[in-house]
Amino acid sequence: MGSEEKTDLLKIEIPFDEEEDFVLISGKGSGCAIGLVLVDIVNGFCTVGAGNLAPTKPNEQISTMVKEAARLAKVFCDKKWPIFALLDCHHSDKPEPPYPPHCIIGSGEENLVPELEWLEKEPNVTTKRKDCIDGFLGSMEKDGSNTFANWVKTNQINVVLVLGICTDVCVLDFVCSTLSARNIGLVPPLQEVVIYSRGCATYDFPVHVARDIKGALAHPQDLLHHIGLYMAKGRGARIVRKVSL
């Protein structure tokens, strides 16, 4: 049985419903403020050949994610709606097992991909460099405050729309922690977390490659992308197939 057949079988065994279209209507008139969260759309995860965890060749799922992130970021900036961009960023002397060194400060891997570099200068964009997988935990400051929670409160955000990489790792961890924080009242006035499925991606490490590397874990892309979305749905996130105005 091929990988596509296995993925199709898994989708039959653990299906989930995706909403067909999420229409962007935000502001006081709509009674709902939407914030865009971009998770780790950095060179070290997305730009071909940029590092240990970057794709080794062009990847359609990752390319689509970057394209959709750029499209929606432009919409939010044009409308002056809030954007929160998480950037994976590590010191060379602080490893993050089980992953090899990646997104080391000063390497360039830790920076936004070329398609999103312009966001650094936009007044409606808050960036947060994080040194751990979970962006919610990575937003904790030394004084006990949380940059993400403060962003939600300052902008009175009711809904966050989440895009990024990896669907089953950093995106999933951020979404799960945010939903737990919402459930106990730590991120008012947040009500809903929405994940745009085509705006997310994960890495591809096929079984036939992993089996020849001692200690390596296979990570088939389409399979783990589906599982990541399934797990997020099970924690209470909304999954949408399309985002439009």
Side-chain angles (χ1 to χ4, degrees):
M1 183 181 293
S3 60
E4 290 186 6
E5 294 172 308
K6 290 179 181 177
T7 300
D8 290 341
L9 179 61
L10 180 81
K11 290 179 178 179
I12 293 173
E13 292 295 322
I14 53 169
F16 62 85
D17 293 328
E18 281 188 88
E19 297 176 37
E20 188 62 35
D21 192 10
F22 180 73
V23 180
L24 291 173
I25 302 175
S26 185
K28 294 180 180 179
S30 68
C32 177
I34 302 173
L36 179 65
V37 176
L38 304 176
V39 180
D40 291 346
I41 310 180
V42 297
N43 291 316
F45 296 148
C46 304
T47 301
V48 174
N52 290 323
L53 296 182
T56 58
K57 59 184 179 180
N59 182 279
E60 183 178 357
Q61 189 183 94
I62 294 175
S63 296
T64 298
M65 177 269 295
V66 170
K67 181 180 178 181
E68 288 301 292
R71 176 180 71 88
L72 290 173
K74 182 67 165 55
V75 170
F76 272 71
C77 287
D78 286 347
K79 293 183 174 295
K80 297 180 172 56
W81 293 347
I83 297 176
F84 191 82
L86 289 161
L87 309 178
D88 204 56
C89 185
H90 298 279
H91 291 278
S92 58
D93 60 345
K94 292 185 178 180
E96 189 178 52
Y99 301 104
H102 61 280
C103 298
I104 303 300
I105 295 171
S107 66
E109 293 182 33
E110 79 281 26
N111 295 328
L112 286 165
V113 296
E115 295 89 337
L116 291 173
E117 284 180 338
W118 56 275
L119 282 176
E120 296 276 6
K121 299 179 180 179
E122 294 295 322
N124 63 309
V125 177
T126 299
T127 59
K128 175 60 181 175
R129 295 190 179 272
K130 66 181 181 70
D131 62 356
C132 66
I133 293 171
D134 188 325
F136 186 87
L137 294 180
S139 293
M140 294 298 299
E141 304 294 348
K142 291 182 179 180
D143 63 2
S145 64
N146 186 288
T147 305
F148 170 72
N150 289 342
W151 174 77
V152 169
K153 183 177 181 180
T154 299
N155 293 285
Q156 288 294 288
I157 293 168
N158 308 113
V159 178
V160 290
L161 175 62
V162 183
L163 289 77
I165 192 168
C166 293
T167 318
D168 56 312
V169 188
C170 296
V171 172
L172 178 62
D173 280 17
F174 169 76
V175 165
C176 289
S177 291
T178 298
L179 287 167
S180 291
R182 177 207 62 182
N183 290 348
I184 59 174
L186 292 181
V187 283
L190 186 64
Q191 298 172 6
E192 294 187 305
V193 175
V194 180
I195 301 176
Y196 175 27
S197 59
R198 292 183 65 245
C200 291
T202 192
Y203 66 96
D204 191 31
F205 192 48
V207 174
H208 71 273
V209 176
R211 67 164 57 102
D212 294 328
I213 301 174
K214 185 178 180 180
L217 288 175
H219 193 278
Q221 185 179 52
D222 289 341
L223 193 65
L224 271 299
H225 177 70
H226 177 84
I227 289 174
L229 295 173
Y230 175 86
M231 295 296 291
K233 176 84 171 183
R235 298 295 181 88
R238 293 168 58 188
I239 314 295
V240 299
R241 183 177 290 113
K242 179 182 177 184
V243 178
S244 60
L245 287 172

